[in-house]
Amino acid sequence: MIARRADPAAGDRRGAVAFVTAAVGLFLPSSLGGRMLRGLTTADLVAVVVLLGGLVWLRRTTDRLARACAVAILPTLAVATWLSPFESYSPGLVALYAALALLYLVDLREARLGGLGERGLLTLHLLLAAAGLAVVLDATLVDRVLVFGYSAFYPSLVPRMVLLQKPVLTFGTHSLAALLFYFLFLTAMAAHAARRSLPWLALIPTHLMLLILLRSTTSIVLAACATLALVARARRGSIWHGAALGLLLAAAVVGVVAAVGWSDRSIVGLLSYGLLGDERRGFVARFGDRGLLSSTIRYVSAHPWQPIGITHTDQLYLGDSGLLMTWLRGSLPLVVAVYFGLLRFFLMNLASATMAVWLWVVVVAAEIALVPLQYFRFVALLPLTVVALNTFESGCGAPQPELVGRGGPRA
């Protein structure tokens, strides 16, 4: 069998489309004058679906398992909709799950950012970091822009976030924004390791600081993961890396304490409140006996094999847990298609199998209490994250041995 010769131009085209997809997903407005408009959100979602379709058109994955998961998603939803006891419909869910199906069909193994693409990526990081710092510093103009054009989920959410000086940017809520800044942090670390440039070095602590300042359960956990990554990096670095790490760790401790408060002087009480929350925030607010998801949990427990597909009902709370929502909408077949498909997407496209599994763990763990895979801005960010990590991975030297056996060599 003759290996297919790599086409650098085709790889750069896919990198460019991945960049545009992320930019569109991040910056297209979802509101006008603070008023959320379904038409705007639908247009944003359709734009992301079209761009993901463009990536599939440029190169479709050859992995049969990824294809099977992608192809199974919409038929599973159709069957579940037929089985549903409810009669109202949310047709927008079709586009949301179509975006996932297209994502899993994308082949980004040879996609890279060229010189212009890398400069665009750095500009994107600097812009997001500057906007985040502006929110923290209570810059009125940035606050107004976010409330005017990026209100999401419910009307009072973004105004409350900016009032509390949480740098949610266009992601609306602090928990989903935590995933954004963690992915930016990982990309900045990879970029600095490969390019050794001062701007990328400055972005590493900036993204970590903004992650901490989001002050949510998700941001606390991800900030801890980011700090551990810095510890591992410092162990292989110089004394200056160690000194910088000490400052970052001190900032992280102060930030976590400020994030969760010091209502309980014991460390156990502090960690419990920070990670589990109470009746108003965190896991307790979602999964407690009187939590938001209590009615949905009771329905799934009583009817595990009667999913509701794309139907809608006011009897159930339809949010705040992607894992639960996926089971509710398609039972076990949809859970397997969505989450195994995501694993295959990362494994088949990322140069590092370790990073692929780690990103999958992070996203699935977030899905316990969030809905990132049902949020078009996050799905639009994934291709660029993969392309950026691969670009800097390939810039560090020879490909890792992990590449062999995961879809064959990149010939």
Side-chain angles (χ1 to χ4, degrees):
M1 180 177 179
I2 300 176
R4 180 174 54 193
R5 182 174 299 174
D7 181 358
D12 287 350
R13 284 196 296 272
R14 277 175 284 152
V17 175
F19 182 88
V20 172
T21 302
V24 166
L26 286 171
F27 297 121
L28 281 183
S30 55
S31 65
L32 188 61
R35 180 185 176 190
M36 293 177 292
L37 301 174
R38 180 175 296 181
L40 272 179
T41 304
T42 301
D44 296 348
L45 180 55
V46 169
V48 170
V49 168
V50 169
L51 288 166
L52 289 173
L55 283 172
V56 175
W57 180 76
L58 287 171
R59 178 71 64 82
R60 186 171 64 249
T61 184
T62 58
D63 182 58
R64 293 180 179 178
L65 292 175
R67 286 186 175 188
C69 290
V71 170
I73 288 176
L74 292 182
T76 300
L77 271 180
V79 173
T81 302
W82 178 68
L83 293 173
S84 174
F86 307 114
E87 297 181 355
S88 298
Y89 297 92
S90 297
L93 287 168
V94 176
L96 284 173
Y97 283 99
L100 279 183
L102 289 170
L103 178 71
Y104 298 165
L105 290 173
V106 170
D107 184 342
L108 298 171
R109 288 177 297 166
E110 297 165 6
R112 296 292 185 270
L113 294 171
L116 181 61
E118 286 194 33
R119 288 191 290 273
L121 181 69
L122 178 58
T123 302
L124 179 67
H125 274 246
L126 291 171
L127 177 62
L128 293 172
L133 290 172
V135 174
V136 171
L137 296 173
D138 201 21
T140 303
L141 177 61
V142 175
D143 291 351
R144 287 178 177 175
V145 168
L146 292 180
V147 173
F148 183 92
Y150 298 100
S151 291
F153 301 110
Y154 55 88
S156 63
L157 178 60
V158 173
R160 183 163 61 89
M161 292 288 108
V162 298
L163 181 63
L164 294 172
Q165 295 172 272
K166 295 189 177 188
V168 296
L169 302 187
T170 63
F171 271 55
T173 178
H174 50 197
S175 298
L176 287 172
L179 285 171
L180 167 67
F181 279 110
Y182 183 66
F183 277 42
L184 294 178
F185 170 86
L186 291 178
T187 304
M189 281 231 307
H192 178 255
R195 303 296 181 253
R196 298 292 179 181
S197 69
L198 184 60
W200 283 118
L201 177 61
L203 281 165
I204 294 172
T206 302
H207 290 328
L208 176 58
M209 179 179 65
L210 292 171
L211 180 61
I212 293 169
L213 291 173
L214 284 166
R215 307 193 304 277
S216 72
T217 300
T218 305
S219 71
I220 292 168
V221 173
L222 292 179
C225 293
T227 303
L228 290 175
L230 285 173
V231 170
R233 177 65 58 82
R235 290 182 62 185
R236 301 192 298 269
S238 66
I239 187 172
W240 299 109
H241 285 89
L245 174 64
L247 292 174
L248 286 171
L249 286 174
V253 171
V254 172
V256 169
V257 171
V260 302
W262 197 261
S263 57
D264 191 322
R265 294 289 179 178
S266 72
I267 297 297
V268 173
L270 182 65
L271 291 174
S272 175
Y273 178 74
L275 297 177
L276 298 179
D278 54 23
E279 289 78 8
R280 295 179 298 174
R281 61 180 292 276
F283 286 96
V284 174
R286 292 173 171 86
F287 299 102
D289 292 338
R290 293 182 293 177
L292 290 171
L293 292 167
S294 57
S295 61
T296 308
I297 293 171
R298 286 193 294 270
Y299 177 87
V300 170
S301 299
H303 309 90
W305 307 111
Q306 190 178 15
I308 70 170
I310 65 168
T311 61
H312 172 82
T313 174
D314 293 333
Q315 300 174 31
L316 306 176
Y317 187 80
L318 303 175
D320 275 4
S321 174
L323 277 168
L324 183 60
M325 291 304 105
T326 302
W327 188 288
L328 175 69
R329 297 205 175 277
S331 198
L332 182 61
L334 189 61
V335 169
V336 172
V338 167
Y339 296 109
F340 187 66
L342 181 67
L343 178 62
R344 296 306 300 178
F345 166 76
F346 282 136
L347 284 174
M348 292 305 301
N349 288 298
L350 274 166
S352 168
T354 301
M355 179 61 76
V357 173
W358 175 244
L359 290 185
W360 182 80
V361 169
V362 168
V363 175
V364 173
E367 282 272 305
I368 295 173
L370 307 173
V371 288
L373 292 179
Q374 295 180 32
Y375 190 45
F376 72 92
R377 298 194 194 278
F378 179 76
V379 173
L381 181 67
L382 290 179
L384 179 61
T385 300
V386 168
V387 172
L389 290 174
N390 284 345
T391 297
F392 299 123
E393 179 81 18
S394 63
C396 294
Q400 296 183 358
E402 296 163 330
L403 294 177
V404 179
R406 294 192 300 107
R410 298 180 183 240

